[in-house]
Each structure stands twice: as C-alpha cells, then as structure tokens.
Amino acid sequence: MKKKTKKFIILIVVSVLIFLSVFLPLPYYIELPGSAENISQYIKVEKQSKKHQKGELMLVYIRELHATPLTYAMSYLNPFAQRDSAKNLYQGNTEDDYQKIQQYYMQDAINEAEYVAFKAANKKISRKYLGLYVMSVMPNSSFKGKLKVGDTVESVNGKHFDDSQGYTSYIKSLPKNSKITIGVQSGKKHLKLTGTTQKLVGTNQYGIGITLADRTEVKPSEKIKADMDGIEGPSAGLMMSLQIYDDLTNHNLLKGRKIAGTGTINAQGQVGDIGGADKKVVAASNAKATVFFVPNNPIPKEVKQAYPDLKTNYQEAKEAAKKIHTKMKIVPVRTFNDAVKYLENTN
C-alpha cells in the first residue's frame, strides 16, 4: 500500500469516527440547566388593566439533549448534568405517547393554575371534572388495543364520578372479573367499550388496567392567553398561578424583583415536587433572579427508609446554591399562599 493511500484511509477513518462521535444518537438523554424566562410572555390575563410594574416572574426549565458519544462523554465534566436512558425517560411509552402525556401535564397545570389564581383573587371560575386521562394501558388489560394514551374514561357502567377516587372505589366494589362497559372520549369521538376487570399487577385488586390522571376543564370569567409552546411538563404550575394572580389583582408582588421558581400546583393550591431542582437553581441564578421558590414537602418515612440518600427539593436547591455561590434567596414553599405571603411581606 502506498504511503499516500495509507494516509488517505487513516484520514477517512478518523473523519468517520469524528462524525459518529458528534452525530450518532445514543439511547440516552442528558439533562442540563436550561434558562429562566419572563413567564408573562407565555401566560397572562388578556385584558389586564393594571399599570406596568418593575420586576418579573420567571419560569425555569431544564435543557434535554439527545446524547451522542461526544456529548455523553462531555456531560461528566458538568456537575449538574444528569444522564438518563430513553427507556427510563419514556417509561415504556412510545415517543409519540410520551409527548401526549407531556402535553396533558402542561394543559392540566394551566387549568389548575387558573383555578387557584382566580379563587385567590375572588374572581369567578368554574371547574368541571371530565374523567380519567389514560396514561398507559397495562399488558393484561382487557382494554389493551381498545384504549389509547390520551383517551378519557368518562363513565363506568353508565356512572360518572367527580374524581378518580369515585371511579376506583366503584370498580373495587365490583365482583372479580366483572363485565364492564366504559364510556370513552377518543379525539372527537365518544365510544362505548366493553371488557372485564382484571387483576392489577403486584396487587390483589381488580380494575380496568390503566395508569391514569384526572382530566378537568376550567372556564375563567376573564380570558387567559396561554402559549406554552416548547415548555413541557407541570413544573411551571406555581409560577403560572402567581402570574395570573398578579395580573388579576392590584397587589404589587414584584417590588422590582426578578422572581423565579418551580413546583406543580393542584386545585387546593398545594405545591408539588419536581425533578431537577439543582439544575433550575443554576438556570435561575444565571438569569439574575433574586428569589427562587422551591417545593419543601417532607419525604414519607417509609420512602426515606428505602432511599436514605433521597433529598427534598429544598435540600437539593440549597446544596446547588451553595455549590455555585449564588446570593439568590432560596425560599421553601408548600402552598400557593406561602409564596404570596412571602412576596407581600418582603422587599
């Protein structure tokens, strides 16, 4: 083999290896600190009459990258990077079903944020329970191949309940392997599907055989403009509720501050835990936020015994803040009212 030919082959091989290291997708994702942005560009009351005030409320999000060999290796240089397999991330769902679930989480977060904010501002809003949102269908379910992720179970044997507990309690009361008819909304269609109750994996209980979430609909008395395109999941719930509440009232909550935060919200105003609290602290600090709200819910004793190293979101956030030497105030909250009271009583 001639010397020039040998060099050419080596060059080709090296080029291919470089190309693969940069572009070859691996079955992994990398979570990194993302950004913090003014939430009013995503959600606000359309006809707000209050004057502009200095400061802003900020949602915080995490960057999620599809890993390549190069980015996967480089992620070990970032103390806040976290690697996760695609299998674990999707939890057995297809990518399309995963996206449907993320869209559900976001719409549900918007609904709950509106409800909490309007109630707190003494404004009219109605909330209707639609049924059980199908997150997945278990392999042994008699409705496998009939129900799909994104469908809504509206009734069971002609009965509609006002919460998921009502449905599960009724189904538990039925004899084993009972024939059952469910009313389902699938897209724009309303269907009747029949099957039998099946033993739920890992339990002695019988059910439809789905993992589920509550699906609700709210109708506020004032129009809300919401465009959360590109933002996934429910973790902006708290900050959305604060933004709507701030729009609806004449309270000066901001007082010139850049206020960031994270946490889910439910209809009772409780702030739920989220993932990646440490990464969100970094993103908020980089955006010059001076306040960062974070959930501070206690870890159940039995969970702590099983996972002794598990930390609360607040503990994770405090450790991250210390690591990056930020002066940003880390504020623990458990409810929407905790956050409002803090903003009202501090400067």
Side-chain angles (χ1 to χ4, degrees), residues 194-323:
T194 57
T196 57
T197 57
Q198 301 291 320
K199 188 175 182 180
L200 303 179
V201 177
T203 74
N204 291 318
Q205 299 176 354
Y206 282 71
I208 296 174
I210 63 173
T211 55
L212 55 89
D214 290 332
R215 186 179 170 210
T216 60
E217 178 183 73
V218 297
K219 292 184 178 179
S221 54
E222 298 187 39
K223 192 171 182 181
I224 303 296
K225 183 179 180 181
D227 182 5
M228 305 300 292
D229 189 36
I231 307 295
E232 296 182 345
S235 64
L238 171 63
M239 299 310 293
M240 288 193 291
S241 63
L242 289 173
Q243 176 63 45
I244 296 168
Y245 178 76
D246 189 53
D247 283 348
L248 291 171
T249 66
N250 292 317
H251 301 174
N252 182 12
L253 295 180
L254 304 186
K255 301 173 186 176
R257 294 171 291 186
K258 298 184 74 172
I259 302 153
T262 187
T264 65
I265 199 78
N266 67 15
Q268 291 73 44
Q270 297 167 323
V271 178
D273 295 330
I274 51 84
D278 56 339
K279 300 167 189 61
K280 292 179 180 180
V281 165
V282 176
S285 180
N286 289 341
K288 310 300 181 186
T290 57
V291 174
F292 183 82
F293 289 123
V294 64
N296 187 31
N297 298 305
I299 300 172
K301 186 177 180 180
E302 59 275 15
V303 176
K304 190 65 175 175
Q305 287 176 340
Y307 303 96
D309 295 330
L310 193 63
K311 298 180 179 67
T312 66
N313 282 172
Y314 177 57
Q315 289 171 329
E316 292 175 355
K318 287 287 286 185
E319 288 182 8
K322 184 177 180 180
K323 189 178 291 186

Side-chain angles (χ1 to χ4, degrees), residues 63-124:
R63 289 176 61 209
E64 193 173 79
L65 303 178
H66 197 161
T68 66
L70 179 62
T71 57
Y72 190 88
M74 289 184 66
S75 71
Y76 283 93
L77 301 177
N78 187 333
F80 295 102
Q82 182 176 336
R83 293 150 294 278
D84 200 1
S85 68
K87 182 180 179 180
N88 189 52
L89 180 68
Y90 293 149
Q91 296 182 343
N93 291 303
T94 64
E95 185 173 354
D96 183 56
D97 284 346
Y98 174 78
Q99 292 301 327
K100 287 181 182 177
I101 292 170
Q102 294 305 308
Q103 289 168 10
Y104 158 78
Y105 279 139
M106 176 51 70
Q107 186 56 57
D108 184 64
I110 293 171
N111 289 350
E112 302 293 60
E114 289 180 13
Y115 187 76
V116 168
F118 273 72
K119 284 292 186 181
N122 294 314
K123 301 285 187 178
K124 289 184 179 180

Side-chain angles (χ1 to χ4, degrees), residues 238 242 269-271 293-294 296-297 331-345:
L238 171 63
L242 289 173
Q270 297 167 323
V271 178
F293 289 123
V294 64
N296 187 31
N297 298 305
V331 181
V333 293
R334 293 187 185 179
T335 67
F336 168 81
N337 287 337
D338 288 344
V340 172
K341 287 178 181 177
Y342 176 86
L343 295 176
E344 289 177 338
N345 298 326

Side-chain angles (χ1 to χ4, degrees), residues 15-66:
S15 298
V16 170
L17 291 175
I18 292 173
F19 179 85
L20 291 176
S21 70
V22 174
F23 297 107
L24 179 68
L26 299 177
Y28 288 92
Y29 284 84
I30 302 169
E31 289 186 351
L32 297 163
S35 183
E37 298 182 12
N38 190 331
I39 198 169
S40 66
Q41 66 181 303
Y42 294 99
I43 189 167
K44 62 183 177 181
V45 179
E46 274 200 348
K47 295 181 180 179
Q48 52 177 304
S49 58
K50 64 185 297 183
K51 294 179 181 179
H52 175 74
Q53 57 176 309
K54 292 182 179 180
E56 58 186 276
L57 291 161
M58 309 170 77
L59 66 77
V60 188
Y61 60 85
I62 293 172
R63 289 176 61 209
E64 193 173 79
L65 303 178
H66 197 161

